[in-house]
Amino acid sequence: MGEVYEAEHQETGRHVALKLLRGRIDRTEDRARFLREGQLAASISDPHTVYVFGSEEIDGLPVIAMQLVPGGTLKDRVAERGPLTVPEAVAVVLDVISGLDAAASAGILHRDIKPSNCFVDADGSVKVGDFGLSIPTGGRGADGTFMGTPQFASPEQLRGDALDVRSDIYAVGATLHYLLTGAPPFEDKDFTTLIERVRHEPPPLIHRGRAGVPAALGALIARCLAKD
């Protein structure tokens, strides 16, 4: 979707994360939607969300300014150390759920929860970030189109249906699966095949494939990943 830079706000000296979308937004309605989504995210304030200062245009480029979180992402952590232990994975996902709960209370769906959008703060706590695709509860992509990351997106999101909090719950389950195994629940090099697997294939039972995962936790992840 874009590139993220560390930037300094000239008026305050504050260092922020500045996300620039690739290319310019030409259509007036697309530009308005992007700015509105940034404003939605800026309305959330919780210890487990990356604070969004706002969205604007700079020299015609749409940008979102966010709190700078220093510890990398959960995807980085898995890449560096391998899958997390069960207590580690559950602890960080509880942080993610706390942030999403605050968003849901404000009537906002994240719509792109995945390990690379969960950021580790200096104290080890985790913050949900990158609300660039967030929408009001009950919304959908423009013209019902899919927006998100297919390995972590719910079947209804892939269809372009109207969404509610259950779509973010699916993404939480897929993220927890990744933290415990190092891979999303469904993967395929062919995009069309991946979409079909997410939409129709039963979710894997993680406790049968990794030693030490309690059956109750595996069943809970499978419930998050249920098709309906």
Side-chain angles (χ1 to χ4, degrees):
M1 288 292 295
E3 298 171 329
V4 182
Y5 297 89
E6 180 177 354
E8 180 179 341
H9 187 241
Q10 292 180 335
E11 293 181 6
T12 64
R14 177 193 295 126
H15 282 240
V16 301
L18 195 67
K19 180 177 181 179
L20 285 68
L21 291 191
R22 290 196 179 102
R24 298 173 183 268
I25 296 181
D26 295 323
R27 295 200 308 169
T28 302
E29 58 267 33
D30 290 342
R31 182 181 296 107
R33 179 172 60 83
F34 172 83
L35 296 174
R36 183 173 63 251
E37 289 173 356
Q39 292 161 0
L40 276 175
S43 69
I44 306 169
S45 180
D46 184 83
H48 295 296
T49 61
V50 175
Y51 186 75
V52 175
F53 297 105
S55 56
E56 60 181 303
E57 290 185 70
I58 300 177
D59 294 333
L61 289 174
V63 303
I64 298 176
M66 301 171 285
Q67 174 188 4
L68 188 66
V69 185
T73 69
L74 292 181
K75 183 178 181 180
D76 296 332
R77 179 177 290 186
V78 171
E80 293 168 0
R81 309 179 190 175
L84 306 187
T85 67
V86 170
E88 289 173 335
V90 170
V92 297
V93 162
L94 287 175
D95 284 354
V96 172
I97 290 171
S98 178
L100 288 176
D101 186 51
S105 296
I108 296 172
L109 291 176
H110 187 284
R111 210 168 47 147
D112 198 22
I113 284 296
K114 55 186 177 181
S116 59
N117 280 343
C118 301
F119 296 83
V120 183
D121 209 348
D123 62 0
S125 65
V126 173
K127 297 176 181 286
V128 174
D130 202 345
F131 280 84
L133 293 183
S134 61
I135 55 173
T137 302
R140 67 182 77 197
D143 303 320
T145 56
F146 165 69
M147 299 182 72
T149 305
Q151 290 88 342
F152 298 92
S154 65
E156 63 269 26
Q157 188 173 353
L158 293 173
R159 292 192 298 265
D161 295 346
L163 306 176
D164 59 30
V165 69
R166 290 172 292 184
S167 188
D168 278 352
I169 289 173
Y170 179 100
V172 168
T175 295
L176 184 50
H177 184 283
Y178 183 96
L179 297 178
L180 290 169
T181 67
F186 301 102
E187 185 70 287
D188 201 283
K189 294 181 179 179
D190 180 75
F191 181 78
T192 301
T193 303
L194 172 61
I195 299 301
E196 289 303 303
R197 292 190 65 192
V198 172
R199 291 181 59 180
H200 301 295
E201 188 174 307
L205 296 176
I206 187 173
H207 55 284
R208 295 182 179 176
R210 176 181 167 179
V213 175
L217 180 59
L220 180 63
I221 294 172
R223 184 179 176 188
C224 291
L225 298 174
K227 305 304 176 184
D228 184 354

